[in-house]
Amino acid sequence: MIDNSIASKIFDISIILNSLNISLIYTIKIGIIVLSSMFILNYIINTGIMKKFLELMKPLNNLKINPLSLYSISICFFSPTVGYSILAEGLKDEKLTKKEIIGSSLANSFPSVLSHTITFFVPVVIPILGLTGVFYILIRLGVAFIKSIIGLVYLRLVSQNVDFDIPKTDKLNKKENINKSFNSTLKFSKKLIPIMFITMFLVMYLSKIGFFDLITIFISPLTDQLELNPNVGLVALTETVNVQSAIIMAGGFLKESILTTKEVLIGLVIGNVITLSSKYAKHSLPLHVSLFGAKFGTKIVMINAMITLLIDILIIIGIMIYP
């Protein structure tokens, strides 16, 4: 019965045109907000303001943590790759031990995620998900903050003192900053805008022809066990393919009142858990292996992944039992 209903609407021109119209207006409106926000934030970051976190890190010297670890942590606020490179150099020069590297890697979690939050989550997730996006950002920052605290506590236990002077860094001039910020925004827009338009169109179109009702039949056995809306599973599964698509799809579900804020958060966090291994394999593992070698680099990634997984599972349970 559902199949016949869907078949009768697949080529309905009014549904297609209406979905295209909604998607186009949505993409233009949100795209302008997202790209403008991204350009402004890139420009601010390139002025060197993030480097002022170096001064804010000084009170941590009282923890008697290896200053090279503290420098790496502070650099991760604006460049995680450079922050981890500093650790690799410290290990090579025997100014950091492997235990300190592991602790530093965990401690780098919050500044690294905060850096990603400023450059991606704030200009992209909040315009798309609104207040729900703010909650999701707080969850991701919360997970990273817990990992950083664990790392700092561990560093306090294993750190050694070494002589280290913070090197001076140069700021971009205004013209270089504008060009760099514009190029970064343009490069990002080439990926985001098509994904945003196509995903929103599919969400609108498939919703109107009743496709999601059909998907519900297949996902419902699992979601029924967890007492969840089947579309929560759809958001989670979409995240395994593309994070941006999942966020845009979740925004569409919120817009159409198909999912609540609570359900979107559960879907996104479950999706993060499902894709955790592939995320670390595609992004973290190559960097860590290149910097620290296959064996030790893999060990660092696995420790980070396991702690993130445990915290995410606890968060999912907490959201589900929250009234």
Side-chain angles (χ1 to χ4, degrees), residues 116-189:
H116 189 55
T117 295
I118 294 172
T119 57
F120 174 73
F121 282 119
V122 170
V124 176
V125 177
I126 292 179
I128 293 174
L129 296 181
L131 185 60
T132 302
V134 175
F135 292 145
Y136 182 64
I137 289 173
L138 291 176
I139 289 173
R140 298 269 45 98
L141 286 174
V143 172
F145 183 74
I146 293 171
K147 287 177 64 181
S148 287
I149 293 299
I150 294 172
L152 289 172
V153 171
Y154 184 67
L155 277 173
R156 178 66 181 84
L157 298 174
V158 302
S159 273
Q160 60 180 3
N161 288 322
V162 296
D163 294 327
F164 172 69
D165 294 321
I166 296 175
K168 294 181 179 180
T169 53
D170 298 323
K171 295 191 297 183
L172 297 172
N173 62 45
K174 187 175 182 180
K175 185 176 180 180
E176 290 174 333
N177 194 349
I178 291 175
N179 289 335
K180 185 176 180 180
S181 301
F182 178 79
N183 289 333
S184 296
T185 304
L186 182 63
K187 182 179 178 181
F188 182 78
S189 69

Side-chain angles (χ1 to χ4, degrees), residues 202-213 253 256 258:
L202 289 175
V203 169
M204 293 295 103
Y205 174 70
L206 294 176
S207 175
K208 292 179 183 298
I209 68 173
F211 178 77
F212 291 136
D213 295 330
F253 284 158
E256 296 294 304
I258 295 173

Side-chain angles (χ1 to χ4, degrees), residues 57-74:
M57 299 297 289
K58 283 186 176 179
L60 290 178
N61 288 331
N62 297 327
L63 296 176
K64 296 181 179 179
I65 290 174
N66 189 315
L68 194 54
S69 292
L70 291 179
Y71 182 55
S72 170
I73 294 168
S74 63

Side-chain angles (χ1 to χ4, degrees), residues 252-289:
F253 284 158
L254 282 172
K255 180 181 176 65
E256 296 294 304
S257 298
I258 295 173
L259 290 178
T260 65
T261 291
K262 178 178 178 179
E263 290 168 335
V264 165
L265 292 176
I266 292 173
L268 290 174
V269 178
I270 289 177
N272 189 70
V273 169
I274 295 173
T275 59
L276 193 62
S277 58
S278 62
K279 282 181 180 178
Y280 275 95
K282 288 189 293 184
H283 302 295
S284 295
L285 192 58
L287 173 64
H288 283 75
V289 168

Side-chain angles (χ1 to χ4, degrees), residues 135 139 227-228 260-263 265-266 314-323:
F135 292 145
I139 289 173
E227 298 182 357
L228 295 173
T260 65
T261 291
K262 178 178 178 179
E263 290 168 335
L265 292 176
I266 292 173
L314 292 175
I315 287 174
I316 292 170
I317 294 173
I319 297 175
M320 289 177 65
I321 65 176
Y322 187 81

Side-chain angles (χ1 to χ4, degrees), residues 34-47 49-50 117-124 177 181 185:
V34 168
L35 298 179
S36 299
S37 301
M38 180 156 286
F39 174 82
I40 293 170
L41 288 168
N42 276 327
Y43 184 87
I44 292 173
I45 290 170
N46 291 334
T47 61
I49 193 171
M50 296 298 292
T117 295
I118 294 172
T119 57
F120 174 73
F121 282 119
V122 170
V124 176
N177 194 349
S181 301
T185 304

